[in-house]
């Protein structure tokens, strides 16, 4: 009946097994191959998350909360047999397979339970010191040799052994470790190195040394010697997990960071695993680490840093001026004296002399072509030298001077045969390289005001023979071959200069030193600025085809995944004012820079990190709007993490195509309206009374473009006692004249009415009036569009449990007052949906803070609403009802209690009949609502809260 097609929620268990990656995502065990390809998904628990995965050959033991499950699974053949499922009376903290097919578990009340494969308790052992645990670890696999490490809420680690006397049901504590100032979140022991590690909410990890390495030997002593070796501080918040390996210590925190330390306390590697959520679990094997956490993603990365560095020294202690990469990441260098060096073709990799240019002494620029087979040198009096890479050597292809002997400020390779030079007085020459003959194609001129000290910084070619250049002031100029003056000018696109222009398909990107990435569209009228995206770094260098953003942040070089918005690598180099270059090979990103008289080269294997499962919101998702797109769905979601995400979802398919962080506070409401041209208008609202209008376009190549059209928010007075206004819900109405009206429900009791206007090429919002009845937070809005009863009715729901009806057919032209108020719930209305039955009757399905489902049959006549009959259910949900949806025969409800319920409804004359049909338990916690789509065979239900679950409900099974 219910088919869970996709779940995105906290990843609370991960495991590396030979050629497979296992992840506990919600109540499902996901199986991936070592390349991150999805293989299979198994439902383990009913609504409970998986917190641990223990494997012994083909025997699996999984636990989560008070639920435990054993199964047999051959990962190679994917044959699965569920053996036994059981609920116990305590929370399982850790587990381990023991000899003879037994499983040992430690529960929160500091007790050891030993089960057989059928989950029958074989033995129960209590620790002599009764207390509540937050973590535990079981060492060894022989029942008679088990050593238990218990992490308590009282900042202590208790070490105890299982009593040899089976008649005794408790064991004494043999050692206590004290050193933390908070609850113990994790404890781990590695007998091969004799170290214990622990982590706590005091933001520290501690490495403890067992004097004899063997914990059994040490505990046999009268006074065990377990000493604190070192405290590790490297996280900005609580540390949830720590593991001691044979040569390193790995810690994972609430700050989304995995830190790898040596035993002396040196930080060897820092891995940003998530986009902001805590790391709940990680596992290490064969030099790799897999992690999962609160951002719903799974990441596979090398434990040791994949970054390597080397230094290149010039002969005769010469001073390098410019450095660059040619083919295969070989280096070319021009010195202050005009001498050219390279290591291309040199098996030793050392720099050797290529040529001396006396006329380039003191002033020279170096520019590498896009294919990296050519590079150009240019001088103060118009000198240009172009070199070409041959099989094992570098040869001078052409040397010439420009007609006017003016200083060349910059050279830009447009293709591997065309390049643009910028000289004094704004002179731009476009050249074509015909073998070894440079041909001047045309000359452009910068506007007179742009010539003084403002040379071009980047250039690219657009469609239909257009050329685009940018200068240091942040301006963009568009030229075409038949005109020497620009046909379009964009002023101050970037406030601190433009570093890259990149033209692709029908779009163009510009990157600058202000931390912005601008998108332009090619239209019949030229190029049009479409959107701006702010990233957390100031000096942007380039965006590669693999969506790697390279940037400087202060004196640090950054490699950032633009799609997932995750930092991949960083290296302190001194800053972007030095000469530097970068290139990509098949397996690595290579970066070089000049520091002093040394050329430093950094290699980083960017393929070493694999995003097995992409991230989602790391805080609660408050609203999701669904758009059907061919065989998939587009989800527009807003969250407490202030991010707006646009994702494409299908059967076991998820791809986040856009992620925007434009809201100042949380996003509470999302609304999507289709436009006549095939695009969409989106409205998002939330904290600080902020509303943002967006446009969304899906192109033929299935790429999406999204831009912010307009933003407004209410600035709060710090001295005012008024609480902050939040936008709770949004609805869009199209009038008979074709105008768009936006209704925004606010926490101060108002419903703001906006006229959605398009000024020139952008949409804007004009506040026209406020609808107000009483000072009660308006929680939900519902629009009833039915011409037969006279236009459009807006229904507002509030925290007093009332439905208020407003005739908004002419809301822009006339004053509006409520024409009816009907009490439905005892407290706040938190969910509502509506469906017309016929011309005059309609059905409301609502839910509230009171946990009650109310189905109300109304008759609507002119400006009068009559409640005909009502169905109430106060027992099906045990918490706040947060989502409702109604179809022609069924209605769905969901709640914070994580239940999705299906009811069948019918109306015979004026008699309403509702029957319970089915229930589904989701592992998504704190469900805030649901969105639904319907086709011929299925209901497509999207539950959202602390994550997202896409559930298909087959109609024929209801």
């Amino acid at each position: 009946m219910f088919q869970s097609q996709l779940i995105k929620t906290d990843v609370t268990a991960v495991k590396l097994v030979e050629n497979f990656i296992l992840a506990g995502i919600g109540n499902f065990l996901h199986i991936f191959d070592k390349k991150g390809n999805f293989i299979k998904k198994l439902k383990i628990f009913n609504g409970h998350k998986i917190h641990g995965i223990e494997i012994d050959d083909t025997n699996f033991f999984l636990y989560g909360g008070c639920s435990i499950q054993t199964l047999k699974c051959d990962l190679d053949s994917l044959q699965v047999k569920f053996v036994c499922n059981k609920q116990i009376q305590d929370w399982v903290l850790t587990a381990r397979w023991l000899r003879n097919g037994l499983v040992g578990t430690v529960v929160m009340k500091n007790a050891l339970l030993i089960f057989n494969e059928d989950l029958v308790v074989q033995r129960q052992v209590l620790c002599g010191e009764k207390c509540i645990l937050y973590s535990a670890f079981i060492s060894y696999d022989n029942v008679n040799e088990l050593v238990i490490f218990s992490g308590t809420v009282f900042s202590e680690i208790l070490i105890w052994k299982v009593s040899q006397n089976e008649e005794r049901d408790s064991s004494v504590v043999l050692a206590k470790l004290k050193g933390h100032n908070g609850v113990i979140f994790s404890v781990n022991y590695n007998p091969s190195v004799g170290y214990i590690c622990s982590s706590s909410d005091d933001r520290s990890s501690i490495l403890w040394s067992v004097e004899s390495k063997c914990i059994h030997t040490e505990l046999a002593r009268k006074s065990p010697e377990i000493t604190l070796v070192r405290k590790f501080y490297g996280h900005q918040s609580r540390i949830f997990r720590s593991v001691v390996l044979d040569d390193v210590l790995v810690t994972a925190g609430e700050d989304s960071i995995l830190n790898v330390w040596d035993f002396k306390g040196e930080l060897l590697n820092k891995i940003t695993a998530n986009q902001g959520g805590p790391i709940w679990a990680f596992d290490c094997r064969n030099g790799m680490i897999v992690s999962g956490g609160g951002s719903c993603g799974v990441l596979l990365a090398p434990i040791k840093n994949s970054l390597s560095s080397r230094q290149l020294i010039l002969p005769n202690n010469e001073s390098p001026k410019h450095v660059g990469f040619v083919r295969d990441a070989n280096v070319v260098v021009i010195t202050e004296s005009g001498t050219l060096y390279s290591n291309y073709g040199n098996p030793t990799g050392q720099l050797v002399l290529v040529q001396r240019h006396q006329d380039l002494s003191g002033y020279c620029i170096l520019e590498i072509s896009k294919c990296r087979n050519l590079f150009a040198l240019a001088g103060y009096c118009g000198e240009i030298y172009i070199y070409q890479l041959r099989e094992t050597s570098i040869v001078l292809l052409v040397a010439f001077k420009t007609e006017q002997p003016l200083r060349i400020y910059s050279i830009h390779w447009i293709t591997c045969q065309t390049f643009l030079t910028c000289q004094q007085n704004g002179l731009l020459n476009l050249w074509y390289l015909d073998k070894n003959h440079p041909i001047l194609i045309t000359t452009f001129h910068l506007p007179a005001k742009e010539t003084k000290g403002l040379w071009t910084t980047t250039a690219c070619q657009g469609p239909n023979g257009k050329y685009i250049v940018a200068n240091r002031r942040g301006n963009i100029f568009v030229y075409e071959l038949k005109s020497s003056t620009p046909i379009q000018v964009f002023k101050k696109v970037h406030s601190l200069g433009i570093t890259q222009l990149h033209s692709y398909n029908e779009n163009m990107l510009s990157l600058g030193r202000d931390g912005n990435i601008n998108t332009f569209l090619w239209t019949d009228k030229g190029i049009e600025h479409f959107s701006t995206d702010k990233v957390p770094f100031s000096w942007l260098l380039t965006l590669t085809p693999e969506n790697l953003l390279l940037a400087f942040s202060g004196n640090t070089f950054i490699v950032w995944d633009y799609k997932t918005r995750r930092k991949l690598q960083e290296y302190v180099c001194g800053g972007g004012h030095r000469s530097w270059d970068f290139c990509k090979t098949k397996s690595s990103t290579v970066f070089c820079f000049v520091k002093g008289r040394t050329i430093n080269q950094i290699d980083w294997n960017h393929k070493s990190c694999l995003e097995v499962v992409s991230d989602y919101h790391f805080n609660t998702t408050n609203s999701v709007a669904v758009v059907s797109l061919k065989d998939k769905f587009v989800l527009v979601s807003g969250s407490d993490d202030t991010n707006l995400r646009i994702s494409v979802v299908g059967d076991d398919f998820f791809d986040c195509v856009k992620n925007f962080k434009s809201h100042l506070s949380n996003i509470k409401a999302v609304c999507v309206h289709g436009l006549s041209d095939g695009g969409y208008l989106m409205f998002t609202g939330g904290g600080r009374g902020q509303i943002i209008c967006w446009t969304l376009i899906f192109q033929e190549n299935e790429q999406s473009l999204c831009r912010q059209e307009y933003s407004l928010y209410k600035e709060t007075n710090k001295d005012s006692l008024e609480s902050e206004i939040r936008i709770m819900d949004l609805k869009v109405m199209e009038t008979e004249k074709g105008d768009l009206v936006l209704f925004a429900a606010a926490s101060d009791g108002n419903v703001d009415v906006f006229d959605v206007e398009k000024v020139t090429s952008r949409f804007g919002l004009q506040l026209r009036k406020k609808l107000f009845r009483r000072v009660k937070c308006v929680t939900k809005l519902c629009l009833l569009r039915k011409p037969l009863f006279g236009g459009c009715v807006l229904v507002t729901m509030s925290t007093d449990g009332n439905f208020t009806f407003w005739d908004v057919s002419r809301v822009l032209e006339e004053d509006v007052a409520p024409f009816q108020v009907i009490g439905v719930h005892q407290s706040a209305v938190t969910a509502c949906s509506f469906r017309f039955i016929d011309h005059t009757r309609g059905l409301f399905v609502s839910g509230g803070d009171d946990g009650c489902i109310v189905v109300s049959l109304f008759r609507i006549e002119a400006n009068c609403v009559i409640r005909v009959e009502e169905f109430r259910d106060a027992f099906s949900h045990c918490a706040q009802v947060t989502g409702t949806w109604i179809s022609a025969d069924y209605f769905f409800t969901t709640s914070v209690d994580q239940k999705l319920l299906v009811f069948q409804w019918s109306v015979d004359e004026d008699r309403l009949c509702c029957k319970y049909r089915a229930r589904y338990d989701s592992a998504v916690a704190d469900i805030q609502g649901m969105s639904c789509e319907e086709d011929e065979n299925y209901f497509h239900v999207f539950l959202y809260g602390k994550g997202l679950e896409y559930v298909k409900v087959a109609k024929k099974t209801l």
Side-chain angles (χ1 to χ4, degrees):
M1 180 181 292
F2 297 99
Q3 304 170 31
S4 179
Q5 300 300 310
L6 176 79
I7 186 165
K8 300 287 291 183
T9 188
D10 295 59
V11 182
T12 47
V14 290
K15 202 76 172 178
L16 281 173
V17 187
E18 296 298 334
N19 297 319
F20 299 93
I21 302 167
L22 308 182
I25 307 176
N27 54 338
F28 289 88
L29 176 65
H30 291 66
I31 304 173
F32 305 87
D33 65 19
K34 63 181 180 180
K35 295 182 180 179
N37 299 312
F38 174 77
I39 299 176
K40 194 176 183 66
K41 180 172 69 176
L42 302 174
K43 185 176 181 179
I44 304 299
F45 301 126
N46 191 30
H48 299 289
K49 289 183 172 64
I50 300 169
H51 288 152
I53 306 166
E54 295 298 324
I55 301 174
D56 180 25
D57 193 20
T58 60
N59 297 314
F60 281 55
F61 180 83
L62 300 102
Y63 58 92
C66 299
S67 301
I68 53 178
Q69 170 79 58
T70 53
L71 57 89
K72 291 185 177 293
C73 177
D74 186 334
L75 291 173
D76 293 320
S77 64
L78 292 178
Q79 292 183 348
V80 179
K81 177 185 178 183
F82 286 85
V83 178
C84 190
N85 182 286
K86 188 175 184 178
Q87 292 283 318
I88 61 175
Q89 298 301 311
D90 205 349
W91 192 283
V92 179
L93 296 175
T94 191
R96 180 171 187 147
W97 279 100
L98 310 177
R99 297 178 188 177
N100 303 318
L102 301 177
V103 181
T105 65
V106 178
V107 294
M108 185 172 275
K109 292 181 181 177
N110 205 7
L112 172 72
L113 301 179
I114 299 177
F115 298 91
N116 64 12
E117 189 180 274
D118 296 322
L119 299 182
V120 177
V121 177
Q122 303 298 295
R123 189 177 179 189
Q124 176 176 328
V125 183
L126 302 177
C127 176
E129 187 163 327
K130 295 182 179 180
C131 59
I132 298 298
L133 306 184
Y134 266 32
S135 60
F137 181 78
I138 303 173
S139 184
Y140 304 105
D141 59 3
N142 189 328
V143 174
N144 297 320
E145 296 179 351
L146 296 184
V147 177
I148 312 302
F149 299 81
S150 301
T152 73
V153 296
F154 304 113
S155 310
E156 295 179 330
I157 299 169
L158 310 179
I159 306 176
W160 51 285
K161 296 175 63 176
V162 175
S163 173
Q164 299 297 314
N165 185 354
E166 293 192 7
E167 295 181 359
R168 293 186 58 183
D169 61 354
S170 66
S171 296
V172 298
V173 174
L174 301 175
K176 290 185 179 181
L177 305 182
K178 299 181 180 180
H180 286 291
N181 294 316
V183 299
I184 308 301
F185 282 132
S186 75
V187 59
N188 182 264
Y189 167 61
N190 186 338
S192 63
V193 293
Y195 282 134
I196 302 167
C197 70
S198 58
S199 61
S200 167
D201 70 349
D202 63 4
R203 304 188 182 188
S204 74
S205 286
I206 294 180
L207 188 67
W208 313 81
S209 175
V210 179
E211 180 70 23
S212 59
K213 287 194 176 181
C214 177
I215 193 68
H216 279 294
T217 303
E218 202 61 41
L219 295 177
R221 295 179 177 179
K222 186 175 181 180
S223 299
E225 290 289 330
I226 303 175
T227 57
L228 190 157
V229 177
R230 183 166 284 102
K231 268 194 175 186
F232 297 81
Y233 290 95
H235 291 272
Q236 297 179 359
S237 55
R238 298 177 295 179
I239 304 175
F240 288 146
R241 293 287 182 272
S242 60
V243 170
V244 57
L245 304 178
D246 290 346
D247 55 350
V248 294
L249 170 69
V250 184
T251 61
E254 195 175 20
D255 56 1
S256 307
I257 300 296
L258 283 162
N259 282 331
V260 181
W261 313 81
D262 66 14
F263 296 148
K264 295 180 180 180
E266 181 181 351
L267 183 63
L268 303 178
N269 197 8
K270 183 177 181 180
I271 304 168
T272 304
N274 298 331
Q275 294 183 31
I279 298 174
W280 297 126
F282 68 85
D283 188 38
C284 303
R285 185 186 180 93
N286 298 330
M288 300 298 290
I289 184 169
V290 62
S291 65
S295 64
C296 314
V298 177
L299 181 74
L300 181 68
I303 297 175
K304 300 291 182 65
N305 200 332
S306 58
L307 184 146
S308 61
S309 62
R310 67 167 179 158
Q311 291 185 335
L312 298 173
I313 308 296
L314 287 170
N316 305 320
N317 200 30
E318 287 209 59
S319 178
K321 186 174 182 64
H322 295 293
V323 63
F325 283 117
V326 290
R327 191 172 64 212
D328 300 327
N330 289 287
V331 176
V332 292
V333 185
I334 187 72
T335 68
E336 294 282 359
S337 64
T339 306
L340 180 65
Y341 291 92
S342 178
N343 60 1
Y344 179 76
N346 185 0
T348 67
Q350 298 300 311
L351 295 171
V352 295
L353 176 67
V354 177
Q355 187 63 268
R356 299 185 187 276
H357 294 280
Q358 295 294 331
D359 51 353
L360 301 182
S361 177
Y363 179 84
C364 177
I365 59 172
L366 166 69
E367 189 69 22
I368 313 293
S369 69
K370 297 180 184 299
C371 61
R372 299 196 180 273
N373 286 322
L374 299 165
F375 63 90
L377 303 173
Y380 198 85
C381 298
E383 305 92 343
I384 297 177
Y385 299 91
I386 297 178
Y387 283 86
Q388 184 181 43
L389 272 62
R390 297 290 170 85
E391 188 173 345
T392 58
S393 62
I394 299 176
V395 298
L396 180 62
L397 186 66
V398 61
F400 68 100
K401 272 192 173 185
T402 58
E403 183 177 346
Q404 300 186 41
L406 301 175
R407 175 181 175 181
I408 297 179
Y409 285 109
S410 56
I411 293 182
H412 312 294
W413 287 92
I414 308 298
T415 67
C416 288
Q417 288 183 292
T418 57
F419 59 94
L420 185 79
T421 59
C422 175
Q423 294 180 269
Q424 275 182 285
N425 303 323
L427 183 65
L428 304 177
N429 287 325
L430 181 65
W431 304 85
Y432 175 76
L433 195 60
D434 184 11
K435 295 181 180 178
N436 60 345
H437 298 289
I439 300 172
L440 180 62
I441 300 175
T442 190
T443 298
F444 304 130
H445 293 280
L446 288 173
K449 293 182 180 180
E450 305 291 337
T451 59
K452 190 175 181 180
L454 295 173
W455 54 86
T456 57
T457 55
T458 181
C460 71
Q461 185 175 6
N464 303 320
K466 292 183 175 61
Y467 293 86
I468 307 96
V469 299
N471 69 1
R472 294 176 63 201
R473 188 173 281 172
N475 302 331
I476 292 178
F477 308 94
V478 183
Y479 295 89
E480 56 185 3
L481 293 177
K482 61 184 180 182
S483 174
S484 63
T485 57
I487 60 173
Q488 273 186 286
V489 177
F490 294 85
K491 294 283 189 177
K492 285 290 182 180
V493 176
H494 294 271
S495 58
L496 298 174
I498 298 174
T499 55
Q500 188 198 32
L501 294 174
H502 175 52
S503 179
Y504 66 101
N505 298 333
E506 299 176 354
N507 311 321
M508 184 184 76
L509 293 180
S510 70
L511 282 69
R513 291 176 56 184
D514 56 359
N516 287 331
I517 299 177
N518 287 290
T519 301
F520 295 81
L521 300 183
W522 292 106
T523 66
D524 296 337
K525 299 178 181 179
I527 65 172
E528 173 189 338
H529 180 260
F530 183 77
S531 64
T532 300
D533 187 18
K534 183 75 174 177
V535 299
F537 314 108
S538 54
W539 192 328
L540 309 184
L541 306 180
T542 189
L543 186 63
T544 72
E546 296 82 6
N547 267 322
L548 295 181
L549 177 64
L550 309 183
F552 285 111
S553 179
N555 63 349
T556 305
F557 174 69
I558 304 289
V559 182
W560 201 60
D561 191 319
Y562 182 57
K563 183 176 181 180
T564 64
R565 305 182 91 82
R566 181 168 56 86
K567 187 187 296 183
L568 302 179
Q569 193 58 262
E570 61 182 4
Y571 190 85
V572 177
C573 65
H577 61 282
R578 305 172 185 273
S579 177
W580 48 265
D581 195 13
F582 55 83
C583 73
K584 287 183 77 285
T585 64
K586 292 181 179 179
S587 61
S588 65
T589 298
V590 191
F591 173 67
C592 67
F593 62 95
V594 173
K595 190 172 184 180
R597 294 180 180 271
T598 304
I599 299 160
N600 299 268
Q601 182 173 324
I602 313 300
D603 290 71
W604 172 68
N605 183 2
H606 60 262
K607 291 189 176 181
S608 58
C609 291
L610 174 66
E611 189 179 58
V612 180
V613 178
S614 59
D615 287 351
Y616 193 53
H617 295 289
F618 62 86
N619 274 346
T620 302
T621 303
N622 295 314
S623 185
V624 172
V626 182
V627 177
S628 296
L629 186 68
K630 296 180 180 178
D631 58 338
K632 295 183 175 66
F633 297 97
V634 176
L635 306 187
V636 183
S637 56
S639 165
D640 280 345
D641 60 14
T642 75
N643 286 326
L644 174 70
R645 285 178 174 265
I646 301 172
S647 310
V648 179
V649 174
D651 294 353
D652 291 314
F653 174 82
F654 179 90
D655 183 28
C656 179
V657 293
K658 296 291 180 183
N659 184 10
F660 297 97
K661 196 176 180 68
S662 298
H663 272 267
L664 303 171
S665 186
N666 61 354
I667 301 174
K668 297 288 290 182
V670 175
C671 178
V672 177
H673 178 77
L675 299 174
S676 57
D677 60 2
Y680 296 89
L681 267 183
M682 303 189 306
F683 300 93
T684 55
R688 299 198 187 181
Q690 186 176 16
I691 300 174
I692 299 180
C693 174
W694 313 75
T695 49
L696 177 64
I697 301 172
F698 294 102
Q699 297 179 314
E700 293 182 0
N701 55 7
E702 296 190 353
Q703 296 294 313
S704 65
L705 292 173
C706 182
R707 78 172 174 191
Q708 180 178 318
E709 298 282 330
Y710 188 82
S711 175
L712 65 88
Y713 69 95
K714 182 179 179 180
E715 294 187 13
T716 56
N717 186 348
K718 295 181 180 179
D719 300 326
S720 174
L721 297 179
E722 294 182 6
S723 60
E724 181 183 286
I725 294 175
R726 288 168 294 156
I727 303 299
M728 305 300 293
D729 199 9
L730 296 166
K731 285 291 184 289
V732 177
M733 177 186 77
E734 186 169 352
T735 67
E736 294 180 354
K737 298 179 181 179
D739 298 326
L740 293 181
V741 180
L742 176 69
F743 298 96
S747 58
D748 61 355
N750 284 299
V751 177
D752 295 338
V753 182
F754 296 92
D755 188 2
V756 183
E757 302 175 318
K758 190 169 186 179
V759 181
T760 60
S761 61
R762 287 187 178 267
F763 288 90
L765 299 176
Q766 181 68 39
L767 179 63
R768 298 294 295 271
K769 61 185 62 177
K770 292 176 179 285
L771 307 182
F772 179 78
R773 190 179 75 86
R774 59 187 302 187
V775 185
K776 292 291 182 181
C777 173
V778 182
T779 55
K780 291 294 175 183
L781 301 175
C782 187
L783 277 172
L784 314 184
R785 301 179 180 89
K786 197 72 173 177
L788 291 175
F789 66 83
C792 193
V793 171
L794 175 70
V795 186
T796 62
M797 298 108 186
S798 51
T799 51
D800 57 6
N802 290 334
F803 284 23
T804 304
F805 294 80
W806 314 70
D807 187 347
V808 293
S809 304
R810 295 179 55 81
V811 68
L812 296 180
E813 295 86 6
E814 300 174 356
D815 292 334
V816 177
F819 63 84
Q820 195 150 353
V821 178
I822 299 177
V824 179
H825 287 269
Q826 295 178 356
S827 55
V829 182
T830 51
C832 185
S833 56
F834 176 83
R835 185 180 185 91
F836 276 105
I837 299 174
D838 52 34
H839 299 326
T840 60
R841 294 182 302 170
L843 209 62
F844 278 98
V845 180
S846 60
D849 272 345
D850 52 10
C852 188
I853 303 167
V854 180
V855 184
S856 305
L857 177 62
F858 285 96
R859 179 175 288 109
I860 305 173
E861 299 173 355
N863 284 343
C864 180
V865 178
I866 303 170
R867 181 162 47 189
V868 178
E869 193 170 359
E870 189 176 78
F871 166 83
R872 285 182 176 269
D873 182 350
F875 303 103
S876 291
H877 287 294
C878 55
Q880 177 191 89
V881 178
T882 53
T884 63
W885 184 81
I886 184 170
S887 74
D889 300 297
Y890 300 92
F891 66 86
F892 294 71
T893 65
T894 190
S895 164
V896 174
D897 62 11
Q898 300 177 215
K899 291 188 289 189
L900 171 65
L901 303 181
V902 184
F903 295 82
Q904 188 173 19
W905 68 270
S906 62
V907 175
D908 184 8
E909 294 183 351
D910 281 341
R911 290 189 59 82
L912 173 64
C913 179
C914 298
K915 295 180 181 179
Y916 167 80
R917 302 298 298 172
R919 165 181 166 175
Y920 176 80
D921 292 315
S922 174
V924 174
D926 195 22
I927 292 179
Q928 296 297 298
M930 66 176 172
S931 297
C932 299
E933 291 289 319
E934 180 182 2
D935 60 27
E936 185 178 350
N937 299 314
Y938 293 98
F939 296 109
H940 304 270
V941 183
F942 299 90
L943 303 170
Y944 54 86
K946 188 57 184 74
L948 171 80
E949 186 169 13
Y950 166 30
V951 181
K952 268 186 182 180
V953 184
K955 290 183 177 181
K956 63 182 180 181
T957 61
L958 291 174

